[in-house]
Amino acid sequence: KAGVTQTPRYLIKTRGQQVTLSCSPISGHRSVSWYQQTPGQGLQFLFEYFSETQRNKGNFPGRFSGRQFSNSRSEMNVSTLELGDSALYLCASSLRGSQETQYFGPGTRLLVL
Amino acid sequence: QQQVKQSPQSLIVQKGGISIINCAYENTAFDYFPWYQQFPGKGPALLIAIRPDVSEKKEGRFTISFNKSAKQFSLHIMDSQPGDSATYFCAASIGWNSGAGSYQLTFGKGTKLSVIP
């Protein structure tokens, strides 16, 4: 079974731009969660989608948004990028949610200049 | 407010020794406690997980000890090997069956483990 894939793997943007990251979950998984990983704050939950519905959202500003498609693939969007948005963005999939094994992708490393 | 506190930040252990990483939580509604292992350039991978109805769970060289009254849990790596060198994260979540499920994992800040030959 193929693992969680994330595209692109690396991205460089400038302040004020917007960015869209993509995540393809493991086949059959319906839950997709997004996390931001930084050296200072560690792994922080962004949001979780299940069957195209956002079930939970972390404590991030409205510039961070996401969506899930009918095939469970998910995208997250960050608008009006700030320097502090530089991070590794991780996507995780599971069958139903956080209390099952969550399989993480390799992440997208975003650098905002 | 950090809900899961992890210590130490870094740990150096000799090959064959025991690595111990500790976590403490505040929210008594947490009922699922996984540990993740992350190698450089990779996403975290589930290592072992425990629920509060048991005090210990062992899988190979990895053991979780859980103390519900103290709101603490720890990871023990027996016979530590250089290949265990990675960053380890503890985490916690609230089950959806409780009616207050949050569907999110709250992570500790990680422990960088280095096992030296």
Side-chain angles (χ1 to χ4, degrees), chain A residues 9 33 35 37 39-45 48 55-58 88 90 96-107, chain B residues 29-34 36 38 41-46 51 87 89 93-96 101-109:
Chain A
R9 292 292 312 276
S33 297
Y35 292 84
Q37 185 174 26
Q41 297 300 316
L43 280 151
Q44 292 186 288
F45 174 77
E48 189 254 2
R55 288 199 295 196
N56 199 23
K57 182 173 165 57
L88 180 67
L90 292 159
R96 293 182 300 165
S98 69
Q99 296 217 339
E100 298 173 332
T101 301
Q102 297 225 338
Y103 296 87
F104 281 81
Chain B
F30 286 141
D31 61 359
Y32 175 69
F33 302 90
Y36 282 82
Q38 185 177 28
K42 304 281 187 182
L46 179 67
R51 294 185 188 274
T87 299
F89 295 92
S93 74
I94 303 170
W96 61 80
S102 63
Y103 308 106
Q104 71 183 72
L105 287 170
T106 300
F107 284 89
K109 291 207 170 182

Side-chain angles (χ1 to χ4, degrees), chain A residues 13-77:
Chain A
K13 292 284 187 179
T14 55
R15 276 183 303 173
Q17 286 187 309
Q18 71 144 22
V19 66
T20 299
L21 312 182
S22 180
C23 171
S24 292
I26 291 172
S27 177
H29 285 191
R30 295 166 65 189
S31 168
V32 174
S33 297
W34 288 88
Y35 292 84
Q36 181 195 64
Q37 185 174 26
T38 59
Q41 297 300 316
L43 280 151
Q44 292 186 288
F45 174 77
L46 279 157
F47 27 66
E48 189 254 2
Y49 288 87
F50 182 81
S51 293
E52 302 178 67
T53 301
Q54 186 182 88
R55 288 199 295 196
N56 199 23
K57 182 173 165 57
N59 191 24
F60 277 82
R63 300 185 296 107
F64 292 81
S65 63
R67 60 178 175 168
Q68 186 180 34
F69 302 95
S70 58
N71 62 357
S72 293
R73 189 177 70 86
S74 178
E75 290 180 347
M76 67 163 281
N77 183 277

Side-chain angles (χ1 to χ4, degrees), chain B residues 46-93:
Chain B
L46 179 67
L47 198 57
I48 186 172
I50 198 168
R51 294 185 188 274
D53 52 347
V54 296
S55 60
E56 187 175 282
K57 183 175 182 180
K58 184 176 180 179
E59 288 184 4
R61 296 185 295 109
F62 301 90
T63 300
I64 299 180
S65 298
F66 185 83
N67 185 330
K68 189 174 181 179
S69 60
K71 294 187 285 184
Q72 294 176 345
F73 58 111
S74 60
L75 175 70
H76 294 232
I77 305 174
M78 311 300 286
D79 188 27
S80 298
Q81 298 297 313
D84 297 331
S85 297
T87 299
Y88 292 81
F89 295 92
C90 61
S93 74

